[in-house]
Amino acid sequence: MNYYKHHVFFCLNQRDDGGPCCCDRGAGELFEYAKSQAKELGLHGKGKSRINRAGCLDRCSEGPVVVVYPEAVWYTYMDKHDIDEIIESHLKNGKVVERLKI
Amino acid sequence: MNYYKHHVFFCLNQRDDGGPCCCDRGAGELFEYAKSQAKELGLHGKGKSRINRAGCLDRCSEGPVVVVYPEAVWYTYMDKHDIDEIIESHLKNGKVVERLKI
């Protein structure tokens, strides 16, 4: 069995060259929100999900991005509503959120 | 096809509570080495491998740790020789390095 059922990586890179950047689009705040929500719902930890910080995932122009492994599903998100849907549908019920997939 | 064939996350967390910590065991330097080697061997980029920074992967006592997705294979490593073997065997040839698996 995998150590984490769903391992979620948020790109939290802060570019300083003026290019598009997940952190300029709310990634930091929404990462913290996702982690706290997953914890509150009892979905966070070994054998369950882990919401993880990551450096640049190198899909800057499509950001903010998050990738869920081992499924290798990539999402973009705009707000807490999108995060809630990823947590509820994907992490809790195993159903990919097609409308946010990239 | 997956965006990255192998997506490699190095735990680069620096704990400040005195507990065991990947960064106290060479993770930072060996992350940089891994990334430069993968680039030099032409293995780094879209459709190939990506060597990525990550926050705490929460396996501190087993560290330093790295996880390779989508295979969900976890490794520990000690030195450049171990990194070379992970790159050559796993990333280049698709063969898991059993001796470093955790």
Side-chain angles (χ1 to χ4, degrees), chain A residues 9 53-55 57 67 69, chain B residues 7-11 50-54 57 65-69:
Chain A
F9 293 91
R53 292 175 180 278
L57 300 177
V67 59
Y69 283 113
Chain B
H7 203 165
V8 184
F9 293 90
F10 275 73
C11 182
R50 181 167 179 86
I51 311 290
N52 226 107
R53 292 176 181 276
L57 301 176
V65 298
V66 65
V67 58
V68 185
Y69 283 113

Side-chain angles (χ1 to χ4, degrees), chain B residues 74-86:
Chain B
W74 292 77
Y75 293 117
T76 188
Y77 56 89
M78 266 182 49
D79 51 28
K80 290 182 178 178
H81 174 74
D82 290 346
I83 297 294
D84 286 340
E85 195 168 338
I86 292 167

Side-chain angles (χ1 to χ4, degrees), chain B residues 26-47:
Chain B
E29 184 197 344
L30 289 167
F31 160 77
E32 297 292 350
Y33 177 74
K35 192 159 182 170
S36 71
Q37 287 301 101
K39 283 182 177 175
E40 199 169 305
L41 294 167
L43 300 173
H44 207 254
K46 185 178 174 181

Side-chain angles (χ1 to χ4, degrees), chain B residues 6-23:
Chain B
H6 304 291
H7 203 165
V8 184
F9 293 90
F10 275 73
C11 182
L12 293 179
N13 189 46
Q14 180 67 59
R15 283 175 73 167
D16 51 13
D17 63 358
C21 165
C22 294
C23 266

Side-chain angles (χ1 to χ4, degrees), chain A:
Chain A
M1 201 187 82
N2 289 336
Y3 196 82
Y4 297 120
K5 193 172 168 191
H6 303 291
H7 203 163
V8 183
F9 293 91
F10 275 74
C11 182
L12 293 179
N13 189 47
Q14 180 66 60
R15 284 177 72 168
D16 51 13
D17 62 358
C21 165
C22 294
C23 267
D24 286 346
R25 297 173 186 152
E29 184 198 344
L30 289 166
F31 160 76
E32 297 293 352
Y33 176 74
K35 193 160 182 171
S36 70
Q37 287 300 101
K39 283 183 177 173
E40 199 169 304
L41 293 167
L43 300 173
H44 207 255
K46 185 177 173 181
K48 297 184 276 189
S49 295
R50 183 169 176 84
I51 310 291
N52 225 107
R53 292 175 180 278
C56 184
L57 300 177
D58 207 17
R59 296 188 74 166
C60 310
S61 64
E62 298 163 282
V65 298
V66 64
V67 59
V68 185
Y69 283 113
E71 306 91 310
V73 170
W74 292 76
Y75 292 119
T76 189
Y77 55 89
M78 265 183 49
D79 51 28
K80 290 182 178 177
H81 175 74
D82 291 346
I83 297 295
D84 286 339
E85 194 169 338
I86 292 167
I87 291 175
E88 175 76 17
S89 177
H90 192 148
L91 304 190
K92 187 171 170 196
N93 299 319
K95 193 172 178 313
V96 170
V97 184
E98 295 293 338
R99 75 173 183 90
L100 298 176
K101 257 182 92 172
I102 52 173

